[in-house]
Amino acid sequence: QWYQRRVRGKKRIGFNRFMPVFETVKGASKPMTFEDYVEGMKVFDRDLVGYLNSGELRHLLTFMGEKLTDEEVDQIFAGLEDDNGNVQYDELIRRLMKDA
């Protein structure tokens, strides 16, 4: 089509064509709910037991995405870890949403 160009064998659309589409999608997105976050955490909950290993979760929070410091993770996990080193993620989400 006339608005697409080829760059290194890939189709591209121009910025002026992209922005209206972006604005439409951006405006259509709604804030994530508690249930949305729980569903996201279930991806890491292999056994679907409602808990995640705090060491694995710490690794995700300190090495991926918007990286947190160990001190920030300590504050988030305070009082949430059980004796087996697990975190009940629905409680974690409630805490984070309350503080947001």
Side-chain angles (χ1 to χ4, degrees):
Q1 295 183 358
W2 66 271
Y3 59 86
Q4 292 181 338
R5 318 180 279 174
R6 286 197 166 279
V7 177
R8 293 186 206 161
K10 296 182 181 182
K11 291 183 179 180
R12 299 206 137 184
I13 69 170
F15 183 77
N16 292 335
R17 195 76 152 142
F18 168 77
M19 280 312 290
V21 174
F22 173 74
E23 290 298 327
T24 300
V25 172
K26 182 177 138 190
S29 64
K30 56 185 177 178
M32 288 184 61
T33 65
F34 173 80
E35 291 77 17
D36 294 330
Y37 286 111
V38 168
E39 285 302 310
M41 291 296 230
K42 285 182 180 178
V43 170
F44 302 103
D45 183 5
R46 293 177 206 88
D47 301 322
L48 296 176
V49 293
Y51 290 88
L52 294 175
N53 177 277
S54 61
E56 291 177 23
L57 190 53
R58 176 180 295 275
H59 178 76
L60 291 171
L61 294 172
T62 56
F63 285 96
M64 299 185 77
E66 223 174 288
K67 298 171 184 77
L68 300 178
T69 66
D70 282 319
E71 293 76 23
E72 290 170 324
V73 175
D74 289 340
Q75 288 178 344
I76 292 169
F77 284 2
L80 293 179
E81 287 181 274
D82 66 14
D83 293 337
N84 297 318
N86 295 314
V87 173
Q88 189 174 352
Y89 53 81
D90 62 342
E91 290 301 318
L92 172 66
I93 294 165
R94 279 190 190 90
R95 176 179 287 183
L96 294 174
M97 291 183 82
K98 178 182 156 210
D99 292 343

